[in-house]
Amino acid sequence: MFKLKKIISLVILLALCVTILPLNALAYNPFIYVIMKNGEVRQLYLDVQFTDIDQGLLVYGTPQDVYDYDAEPAQSYDSATGEWRYYGFTESGFPFSNKNYPNDIADSVDRMVRDYVEKPWNNPSIGCPRNTWKPSEYQWNDVKTQLEELGYPPHMTDYSAVDMYWSIQFWPTSSGVLEGSIREWHWYDGYPCYETHQVQFPEDIGLNARLIVEPPTATVAVGETTDYKAYLDYAGDGRDQFDPEVTTDCVWSTADTNIGTIDRSRGRALGKNVGQTGVTAKYTKDGYDLSGSAVLIVTAVVGPITPPGGTGANDLIATNLEILDSNGNPVSGSVEVNKKYKVRATFSSTFKTSGYAKVRFYIKREAGWMDIRETENVFIEAESTFQRTWDWNGTTEEVVIMSSIDRRWAGSAWEDEKFNGTEEEITYENNVCQRGATGTETIKEPPSTENYGYPLYYHPVKYIEEPIIEQQPVIGWKKAIYIKDDTEYIVKVRLVIPE
């Protein structure tokens, strides 16, 4: 039975000396203390036989020392291969596994159906130290391919298996490649067995990782939205199929919020005013601190927000659109969710005759679909200007507010209508007016306290003993029947002379 040991460690790190001098030139070796199964605290020095400074293998003690340690599986020597199960001990005081030792497996147990041990480092019957290093997903991809070829099931090859099943041992080489071994544990006939695989992890490309934002430049009209995406380029050599999308793991921002804003967690940008601004995504998960950038260009809408009044005869124009607060004052910037506002639209006509036209109030939602709020059939005087006002409640979204005259959204495109039902306009490009509106979250007020008092009554239980009186006429004498029970009652007989 393997028991995790409390290791009294006094590690003297002589990395510079070890790098420069051969081991036999050291005055003394670095050492650790390990508690053996009999309670002995043994001082173990860096072992010359199995330590390889070039490969970063630091082995303390000897294979014989592990015999005295409570390891599971126990130390053993394979005479066929000439390999020890454990070289000695790691710096942390755990048995140092030999990747060349034959695996403790039964050949008949298919890897696809093994009973794998979850988090073997938490199982006291298994001699498995907790991992001190985790490869990146990019580095794991090479290992994943090897495991798939060996016939491991998907849940053992997925990146999440690193935290669930695999014990990882590694050491850096002079070339920068991480060599090492990975080990899985499984139950066989009631005993814990393991299989070890020698692997190579690609160079620690985390140092070269960068964040890629796509598209690098996006162009939208005022009130329109566009989506940016972010990808984690592990190797820093351009995006490929191994680089994951991390759009929702980033914090997004724009340099000039008057030009455009962006959803902080989704990368969706909204054009607010004509101009150009920078877009930044910041990624700080898994130890990274990366930023990526792009450009947002905002152009004028086809139907200008404030178009000139009149383009010639026979024209209806949506000239202006405003958001007003409850006092009738224009609102600029953001609006508060559920707060009541007014939307005031201004229209004009250059027709020399009066007639009817349809005016509408639309909300274009952040998801892109159109929500029609109001439709009115209004009578318009010849060559006149008029206004319509509608109620609207603020929202948490970034929306586009639109007003139109004789132009209807037909689901995928605008559909033109005729003035007074019969007359065509010279242009319909100015029949829609729009503006953006940025919503805010509900302002959460601190909870208020109130005291409530309610009268409560408690009636104590009170037992009252009352005598049982039975009267019978008696001539001479009479025997009274008395049944004795365990209750302590006092029985009394009283002679009453009838009147």
Side-chain angles (χ1 to χ4, degrees):
M1 179 73 74
F2 176 87
K3 297 180 180 178
L4 293 179
K5 301 297 184 179
K6 179 180 178 184
I7 302 160
I8 307 172
S9 60
L10 177 60
V11 182
I12 303 176
L13 299 177
L14 300 176
L16 293 176
C17 296
V18 170
T19 303
I20 299 172
L21 301 176
L23 286 176
N24 56 14
L26 295 175
Y28 54 88
N29 290 336
F31 59 86
I32 62 173
Y33 287 108
V34 176
I35 301 177
M36 298 301 172
K37 59 185 175 183
N38 63 357
E40 173 196 356
V41 179
R42 186 174 299 179
Q43 186 178 24
L44 301 177
Y45 288 90
L46 201 64
D47 182 67
V48 176
Q49 180 181 0
F50 295 108
T51 291
D52 189 330
I53 300 301
D54 291 335
Q55 290 196 7
L57 272 71
L58 301 180
V59 179
Y60 294 82
T62 66
Q64 287 75 16
D65 287 316
V66 187
Y67 276 119
D68 300 327
Y69 186 81
D70 192 7
E72 178 63 36
Q75 175 69 303
S76 58
Y77 179 77
D78 184 69
S79 57
T81 60
E83 298 288 346
W84 290 96
R85 182 188 294 274
Y86 306 108
Y87 287 136
F89 292 86
T90 67
E91 267 187 292
S92 302
F94 289 101
F96 197 123
S97 296
N98 176 9
K99 65 179 182 294
N100 298 317
Y101 185 82
N103 293 311
D104 288 336
I105 60 171
D107 294 337
S108 60
V109 181
D110 193 318
R111 295 187 179 102
M112 190 65 69
V113 296
R114 286 177 184 168
D115 183 12
Y116 293 103
V117 181
E118 292 186 4
K119 297 185 178 180
W121 42 86
N122 289 342
N123 193 314
S125 66
I126 295 177
C128 177
R130 184 178 295 274
N131 293 333
T132 59
W133 174 80
K134 179 181 178 180
S136 68
E137 191 168 0
Y138 174 83
Q139 292 172 303
W140 181 254
N141 281 326
D142 286 354
V143 178
K144 178 180 180 180
T145 301
Q146 298 175 46
L147 297 178
E148 290 173 341
E149 292 174 351
L150 290 171
Y152 277 96
H155 75 278
M156 292 295 292
T157 63
D158 188 74
Y159 184 53
S160 61
V162 175
D163 296 320
M164 187 62 67
Y165 297 102
W166 292 101
S167 174
I168 299 176
Q169 200 167 267
F170 74 99
W171 46 88
T173 65
S174 56
S175 65
V177 175
L178 293 178
E179 289 190 357
S181 63
I182 60 173
R183 172 175 294 171
E184 49 87 355
W185 292 79
H186 55 275
W187 298 105
Y188 178 73
D189 199 20
Y191 295 95
C193 301
Y194 64 75
E195 184 173 10
T196 307
H197 304 283
Q198 187 172 357
V199 295
Q200 274 194 349
F201 297 102
E203 184 179 356
D204 188 3
I205 44 72
L207 299 176
N208 301 319
R210 65 191 182 105
L211 192 66
I212 297 177
V213 177
E214 296 181 352
T217 301
T219 301
V220 296
V222 172
E224 297 293 328
T225 61
T226 188
D227 291 327
Y228 289 92
K229 294 185 182 298
Y231 299 89
L232 182 58
D233 177 12
Y234 284 121
D237 56 357
R239 186 165 77 86
D240 56 32
Q241 70 270 26
F242 297 118
D243 296 329
E245 181 184 345
V246 292
T247 301
T248 56
D249 294 320
C250 294
V251 177
W252 296 82
S253 62
T254 56
D256 190 342
T257 55
N258 290 322
I259 301 298
T261 58
I262 193 166
D263 189 305
R264 285 173 54 85
S265 61
R266 289 199 298 167
R268 174 166 291 175
L270 170 69
K272 300 191 72 175
N273 290 289
V274 176
Q276 178 175 310
T277 184
V279 173
T280 300
K282 190 168 182 62
Y283 181 78
T284 56
K285 293 187 66 176
D286 300 326
Y288 290 100
D289 188 3
L290 304 174
S291 295
S293 59
V295 176
L296 176 66
I297 299 175
V298 183
T299 61
V301 295
V302 175
I305 291 182
T306 310
T311 57
N314 297 347
D315 197 14
L316 298 176
I317 309 155
T319 60
N320 196 22
L321 189 59
E322 299 173 285
I323 299 176
L324 310 176
D325 61 20
S326 57
N327 297 320
N329 299 316
V331 174
S332 60
S334 60
V335 295
E336 295 181 20
V337 61
N338 295 329
K339 188 174 182 180
K340 295 185 181 298
Y341 295 92
K342 299 284 187 181
V343 175
R344 184 169 64 191
T346 304
F347 305 94
S348 61
S349 170
T350 63
F351 280 93
K352 297 186 178 299
T353 58
S354 301
Y356 286 90
K358 287 186 173 61
V359 295
R360 295 178 176 88
F361 170 32
Y362 291 96
I363 298 291
K364 184 176 182 181
R365 308 301 295 270
E366 193 172 9
W369 50 274
M370 299 280 277
D371 180 11
I372 184 167
R373 295 299 182 89
E374 299 286 347
T375 299
E376 294 184 49
N377 192 31
V378 298
F379 181 79
I380 306 173
E381 298 286 350
E383 298 181 319
S384 66
T385 297
F386 67 98
Q387 292 180 330
R388 280 293 180 272
T389 303
W390 301 290
D391 294 325
W392 178 61
N393 290 341
T395 178
T396 59
E397 299 179 70
E398 291 186 351
V399 299
V400 180
I401 299 174
M402 298 181 178
S403 62
S404 70
I405 182 168
D406 270 358
R407 206 173 202 203
R408 182 179 68 90
W409 181 253
S412 60
W414 290 103
E415 185 178 276
D416 301 331
E417 299 171 313
K418 295 180 180 180
F419 176 60
N420 216 21
T422 57
E423 300 183 59
E424 295 276 0
E425 297 183 44
I426 60 171
T427 179
Y428 285 89
E429 295 303 314
N430 54 7
N431 284 47
V432 178
C433 184
Q434 63 184 35
R435 59 161 296 168
T438 302
T440 60
E441 297 293 339
T442 304
I443 300 176
K444 297 182 179 179
E445 300 291 342
S448 59
T449 58
E450 295 184 27
N451 295 323
Y452 297 92
Y454 297 95
L456 298 175
Y457 301 96
Y458 172 69
H459 299 279
V461 177
K462 183 178 180 181
Y463 296 94
I464 301 176
E465 294 182 359
E466 295 182 353
I468 300 174
I469 300 175
E470 179 181 348
Q471 294 185 10
Q472 292 187 11
V474 176
I475 301 176
W477 66 273
K478 185 174 183 179
K479 185 178 180 180
I481 299 175
Y482 168 57
I483 300 175
K484 184 180 179 180
D485 59 22
D486 294 333
T487 310
E488 295 181 356
Y489 293 122
I490 299 175
V491 180
K492 293 182 179 180
V493 177
R494 185 175 59 174
L495 183 61
V496 179
I497 300 174
E499 297 179 355

